[in-house]
Amino acid sequence: MPELPEVETVRRQLEAELVGRVIKGVRVLLPRILKNASPAELAERLIGRRLAAVERRGKFLLLQLDDGASLIVHLRMTGRLTLVDAATPDGPHTRAAISLDDGRDLRFDDVRTFGTWHYRGRDAGSLPPALAAMGVEPLSDAFTPETLATIAAGRRAPVKAVLLDQRRIAGIGNIYADEALFRAGIDPGRPAASLTPGEVGRLHASIRSVLIDSLAKGGTTVRDYLNGRGSPGEFQRFLDVYGRAGEPCRRCGTPIVRRKVAGRGTHVCPRCQR
DNA sequence: ATAGCGCCCTGGTGGC
DNA sequence: TGCCACCAGGGCGCTA
């Protein structure tokens, strides 16, 4: 489940390899991943374009083209973007591919086919609604304890639901919501507005630290995630609660409990998190 | 405006 | 061994 650290890892790898490359071909094996273009239209727009930059906003990847347009990719749960030699056969779940002028393909593989591609033209063009409404980047200077306090103020929803709301904070998914709340010692079901200023400060620091720590390990691979070079992340070895139901809390030894909060599988230490 | 829920989709798992 | 219900979950559309 690629979240901010995983998508950022892919972004860095793709940027290093893709910038300056020219698109020679486009293959779309599953047209419904394209949200606002037909395969033929996408090919017409992309072929001949040079890649100018690879950016990230929340969990979206933006491949910027030299004509001011962009290809906006969301990996959702099982999507992968990897660079391979063009001779590499498609996998059973290859949904699309872009061939480059250096003999390689940018392959998009996605088992569950939730991932999406949007083409955005130079002027306006359609943005994915979630991207247009995206909240603050948690690793940017704009994200301060005061920002988080404002976000939480007056919200009766569980604090975990607020962390998952991309319109408030960008890029946090189920894994890092659980991990940040553990580090902060806060129960995920608490109404966001019930957090004390001290708790808001701890949660702010925890969000940043867990994202930074995971980024340093190349992200988390629980099941499907692979980076732009086809390699898994390493942070799963350092998770405190996610996926550790029944195992002892690393801090106090109490078994980690799994329950449902905000409709999501949620992992907590019932002793450390209040 | 906010909160909650079902849907999309496939592969892996566990029960019988 | 086979079959099937169930689960994973981000974004989105719908409801109240």
Side-chain angles (χ1 to χ4, degrees):
Chain A
M1 297 116 234
E3 306 179 27
L4 189 154
E6 292 76 33
V7 179
E8 178 62 17
T9 299
V10 173
R11 186 201 71 76
R12 291 176 182 180
Q13 295 171 336
L14 294 187
E15 174 153 83
E17 305 283 337
L18 285 183
V19 171
R21 299 276 62 77
V22 173
I23 294 172
K24 291 299 192 186
V26 176
R27 289 187 294 128
V28 180
L29 290 76
L30 185 67
R32 66 176 154 77
I33 70 167
L34 305 183
K35 291 304 159 186
N36 60 352
S38 68
E41 286 165 347
L42 187 74
E44 187 194 329
R45 307 273 190 206
L46 295 189
I47 290 173
R49 298 272 60 80
R50 190 177 297 272
L51 286 149
V54 182
E55 297 170 359
R56 178 192 58 76
R57 187 76 174 90
K59 302 170 195 170
F60 288 89
L61 277 169
L62 297 86
L63 309 189
Q64 304 286 4
L65 308 171
D66 62 353
D67 63 351
S70 50
L71 178 65
I72 301 169
V73 177
H74 200 298
L75 303 175
R76 295 291 184 100
M77 262 71 72
T78 56
R80 295 172 180 166
L81 271 182
T82 47
L83 274 167
V84 299
D85 189 285
T88 307
D90 287 337
H93 309 300
T94 301
R95 309 305 184 190
I98 291 175
S99 55
L100 306 165
D101 62 349
D102 64 356
R104 288 191 294 178
D105 266 13
L106 180 63
R107 293 279 169 85
F108 181 64
D109 293 87
D110 188 3
V111 170
R112 286 162 66 183
T113 74
F114 279 16
T116 56
W117 284 21
H118 279 78
Y119 175 82
R120 186 199 189 196
R122 182 179 46 237
D123 350 271
S126 87
L127 277 185
L131 179 55
M134 191 68 63
V136 64
E137 284 290 334
L139 295 182
S140 74
D141 291 342
F143 183 61
T144 64
E146 292 71 34
T147 315
L148 184 57
T150 302
I151 287 168
R155 306 284 313 278
R156 279 199 290 256
V159 59
K160 174 165 177 175
V162 174
L163 296 186
L164 293 174
D165 186 347
Q166 303 299 296
R167 297 168 304 174
R168 315 281 168 184
I169 307 171
I172 299 175
N174 207 36
I175 295 173
Y176 299 108
D178 282 2
E179 293 296 313
L181 286 161
F182 172 81
R183 287 189 182 200
I186 296 167
D187 186 295
R190 292 259 307 279
S194 75
L195 269 58
T196 66
E199 287 172 329
V200 169
R202 289 201 327 254
L203 183 55
H204 171 266
S206 298
I207 289 167
R208 290 175 74 110
S209 74
V210 75
L211 295 176
I212 288 167
D213 290 351
S214 178
L215 202 42
K217 300 291 181 190
T220 301
T221 297
V222 173
R223 192 174 292 123
D224 299 285
Y225 168 70
L226 297 178
N227 67 26
R229 292 195 272 267
S231 304
E234 296 291 336
F235 194 65
Q236 59 278 10
R237 296 188 286 127
F238 303 94
L239 295 174
D240 289 320
V241 287
Y242 185 88
R244 297 192 65 245
E247 295 175 45
C249 172
R250 300 191 200 281
R251 189 183 292 165
C252 77
T254 303
I256 301 301
V257 169
R258 186 174 189 283
R259 67 179 210 259
K260 245 186 170 61
V261 176
R264 301 284 180 232
T266 298
H267 311 75
V268 295
C269 171
R271 183 162 169 196
C272 294
Q273 295 176 257
R274 302 287 176 162

